[in-house]
Amino acid sequence: MIKLSRRSRLVVSAFAPIAALAVLVPVNAMAAAGGHPPVGRPVHSFAGARPKLDRIGRAKPAGFAPDLTPGQASPWKALKNAPPFTPDTMLLASDGTVLVHAVLPVTGDGTSAWYKLTPDAKGSYVNGTWSQLPSMPGGYNPLYFASAILPNGQMIVEGGEYLGGTPSWTNKGAIYNPVTNKWRSVAPPVGWSNIGDAQSNVLANGTFILSQACQNCTTASPILTSDAALFNTTGRNWLTIPASGKNDPNDEEPWTLEPNGQLLTVDTWLTPTTELFNPVSLSWSFAGNTVRSPVNTPSAEIGPNVVMPGGNTFVVGAGTSPEQAPTPCTTNKPAPTALYNYAAGRWVRSPAIPTIGGKQYDSADGPGSILPDGNVLFDVSPCVFNAPIEFFQYNASSNTLSPVPNIPNAANDSTYYTRMLALPNGQVLFNDESSQMLVYTAGGTPNPAWAPSIFSISGTTLTPGRTAGLGGAQLAGLSQGAAYGDDAQQNTNFPLVRITNNKSGVVTYARTSHWTSVSIAPGATSSTQFTIPSTTPAGASSLVVVANGIASQPVPVTIR
């Protein structure tokens, strides 16, 4: 996306019309957003845009041990079967498999390839196996794009800052149908010539919402916008909605679903303001100022925004340093974070990220994930786009941070090309675009009140190949799972149905679809359909609904 320079933003009122923003910006002040093409890619520039930054290095196979204290066991474990490709964005499918986008090795350019990780017969992702999906259609090979699993169980991918290695802010889109194992192109919203590295979300009622940050993004006079569009899954068309009440452009902002169904965003252009989107009135309103801004104002970057059970949202800060790789990091100042107190409807103090080795560590684009115990795992790296990474845990009950043992490959990594995904067994899947993928196992246990509850089921004798239904409360959980700055979305607030054979312990995930809600409100009721796989072993079994790694009480069922 196209960004305003910090100098230009200082003179823009929080209530200035968006169109005026582009007028106020001198051409030589425009900067392409994202700012992090893979190493080896030529530095591209458009008329009126400054060049993007090359990565300082790419992840390589591990060559040293994690930084553990004596006698401490590592919470990280490598997959038994390394991916046969270079992994990037990951999404959890409604059948319990993991869908992973592939990028080119060395350059990190986007491809049209996707792969699937299937857990083994006991539900282990560490021991899972890989298979390749069909390629995306029409030369669609994006990098940094919007994505989601829709209530019908299909995966939507929209936009892309790059197509292959070419900056394009494409308006291409596609949907993957896991039943037919096929992709289908999606036309963009009417009038949208660009989408790019847009943020997206699925509203509580199941509607996919997509942002737009600019039009004519690759020209010398881009038009910054705050518009959005709602996707009609049945008709595969869009309803474009104006940015009523929006203070600033959408560019670089993450959108987080709150328990009341509104979307919370931290403004990246008019710090320290924040806003809420009301899906009923289709309008934005002021949500208060953060105590300290988590936005890196020189680069307009921000870290992951992770909503926790109860609605509080923890925002990992992107630091204050203007030093972007390959410029070494010399800033020695703790990076602010932010915490939204949902019950109070205001921002409160939260712990700063401590300096490490005399350097500021932060997340100028990077991942974080909810853990089953309600805490948040995240990684940080020096200043903007430097290496190496370190890991922290945000402790929700005490509003503190604590260090987490590092990974073997940390020295080669920067936050922006790492990804996390909340798995249904309570673990977190991690990748850094290297030849390894890791699984993180946290300590702690979830509050029993956070678990989904099954109220009704269409039958307790289930037939492989047939579809059944169930209803209950909190089927989508109380969090959206993992998050990223703005360039990737991998929400897991939807119901998964897991069936375990009582005798053999074989685990099967039944593909869910037709979710009536993905609300994360406590006690929210909904229903889902689920299709029993033909491979489900016969006999007495137990069925649970899982959301973000937390399972309901089991229901006894019999598989014919």
Side-chain angles (χ1 to χ4, degrees):
M1 301 301 180
I2 304 302
K3 290 186 176 180
L4 291 168
S5 70
R6 175 60 179 164
R7 179 170 59 85
S8 299
R9 277 185 286 152
L10 289 173
V11 300
V12 180
S13 164
F15 302 100
I18 296 306
L21 289 171
V23 175
L24 287 168
V25 184
V27 170
N28 62 7
M30 301 306 297
H36 31 251
V39 71
R41 176 181 297 151
V43 176
H44 302 280
S45 64
F46 302 112
R50 73 181 180 210
K52 285 181 164 262
L53 299 168
D54 274 323
R55 288 178 174 175
I56 61 167
R58 288 297 298 250
K60 302 173 183 177
F64 55 93
D67 53 351
L68 302 172
T69 59
Q72 182 181 20
S74 174
W76 300 97
K77 190 170 185 178
L79 298 189
K80 179 180 178 181
N81 298 305
F85 62 97
T86 302
D88 184 49
T89 296
M90 309 178 289
L91 286 90
L92 180 67
S94 70
D95 63 357
T97 61
V98 177
L99 309 180
V100 186
H101 180 237
V103 295
L104 292 180
V106 182
T107 66
D109 291 335
T111 76
S112 60
W114 286 77
Y115 289 78
K116 179 168 68 174
L117 176 64
T118 302
D120 72 2
K122 295 301 176 71
S124 169
Y125 290 87
V126 168
N127 297 324
T129 54
W130 293 99
S131 57
Q132 187 168 3
L133 303 181
S135 295
M136 301 176 77
Y140 187 24
N141 51 356
L143 182 67
Y144 309 131
F145 48 82
S147 58
I149 302 297
L150 301 173
N152 59 9
Q154 299 178 16
M155 176 174 67
I156 188 169
V157 176
E158 285 291 324
E161 185 177 343
Y162 293 87
L163 284 181
T166 304
S168 61
W169 287 269
T170 181
N171 65 359
K172 289 178 178 285
I175 287 181
Y176 172 69
N177 186 329
V179 177
T180 63
N181 195 31
K182 293 181 179 179
W183 288 91
R184 182 176 177 180
S185 295
V186 176
V190 174
W192 285 24
S193 59
N194 297 104
I195 295 175
D197 58 336
Q199 64 270 45
S200 66
N201 214 309
V202 177
L203 300 174
N205 66 2
T207 301
F208 178 73
I209 182 171
L210 176 68
S211 77
Q212 185 189 37
C214 59
Q215 283 278 42
N216 306 318
C217 301
T218 61
T219 69
S221 300
I223 302 171
L224 302 178
T225 84
S226 292
D227 290 346
L230 303 175
F231 185 61
N232 182 326
T233 306
T234 302
R236 292 179 182 266
N237 53 20
W238 300 89
L239 171 66
T240 302
I241 55 178
S244 177
K246 188 75 168 65
N247 282 340
D248 71 338
N250 295 323
D251 188 29
E252 296 296 311
E253 293 181 354
W255 290 353
T256 305
L257 183 67
E258 294 295 299
N260 60 7
Q262 298 191 55
L263 296 179
L264 176 69
T265 190
V266 176
D267 291 338
T268 52
W269 294 103
L270 294 170
T271 60
T273 64
T274 68
E275 299 178 82
L276 285 165
F277 173 75
N278 187 317
V280 177
S281 63
L282 301 180
S283 63
W284 292 88
S285 61
F286 180 61
N289 291 336
T290 57
V291 176
R292 294 175 296 177
S293 175
V295 178
N296 184 300
T297 49
S299 66
E301 298 287 2
I302 193 171
N305 292 210
V306 181
V307 62
M308 299 168 286
N312 289 355
T313 300
F314 178 66
V315 180
V316 183
T320 58
S321 173
E323 297 163 326
Q324 299 188 18
T327 301
C329 178
T330 62
T331 301
N332 183 10
K333 182 180 180 180
T337 66
L339 181 65
Y340 182 67
N341 185 309
Y342 174 74
R346 62 186 179 90
W347 293 88
V348 297
R349 288 196 173 275
S350 55
I353 303 166
T355 60
I356 302 173
K359 297 179 180 180
Q360 181 177 94
Y361 272 66
D362 54 65
S363 180
D365 269 345
S369 179
I370 194 70
L371 300 175
D373 61 5
N375 296 325
V376 177
L377 174 72
F378 64 97
D379 62 15
V380 291
S381 56
C383 292
V384 182
F385 310 148
N386 275 276
I389 60 171
E390 296 281 350
F391 289 84
F392 283 92
Q393 176 177 289
Y394 172 71
N395 305 299
S397 61
S398 59
N399 194 22
T400 60
L401 301 181
S402 55
V404 171
N406 218 329
I407 63 172
N409 207 32
N412 299 307
D413 290 343
S414 183
T415 57
Y416 74 93
Y417 54 88
T418 62
R419 301 287 189 273
M420 294 182 186
L421 181 70
L423 294 173
N425 61 2
Q427 297 176 320
V428 175
L429 185 62
F430 175 86
N431 87 65
D432 58 3
E433 295 187 358
S434 76
S435 58
Q436 293 182 334
M437 288 178 68
L438 304 172
V439 164
Y440 176 81
T441 302
T445 57
N447 184 327
W450 300 343
S453 299
I454 300 174
F455 293 166
S456 62
I457 190 168
S458 58
T460 57
T461 299
L462 305 173
T463 303
R466 299 286 183 87
T467 297
L470 61 79
Q474 297 178 188
L475 300 185
L478 300 178
S479 170
Q480 289 205 279
Y484 187 87
D486 72 302
D487 295 323
Q489 298 92 48
Q490 52 282 309
N491 299 338
T492 51
N493 56 309
F494 52 81
L496 293 176
V497 171
R498 186 170 65 207
I499 300 170
T500 305
N501 185 274
N502 292 348
K503 184 176 181 180
S504 66
V506 169
V507 171
T508 307
Y509 284 95
R511 183 181 62 85
T512 61
S513 62
H514 299 88
W515 320 321
T516 58
S517 174
V518 293
S519 171
I520 61 169
T525 58
S526 63
S527 63
T528 184
Q529 295 181 8
F530 60 99
T531 302
I532 316 303
S534 59
T535 56
T536 308
S541 305
S542 63
L543 179 149
V544 297
V545 169
V546 184
N548 296 316
I550 304 177
S552 69
Q553 288 296 312
V555 173
V557 296
T558 300
I559 307 300
R560 291 183 187 275

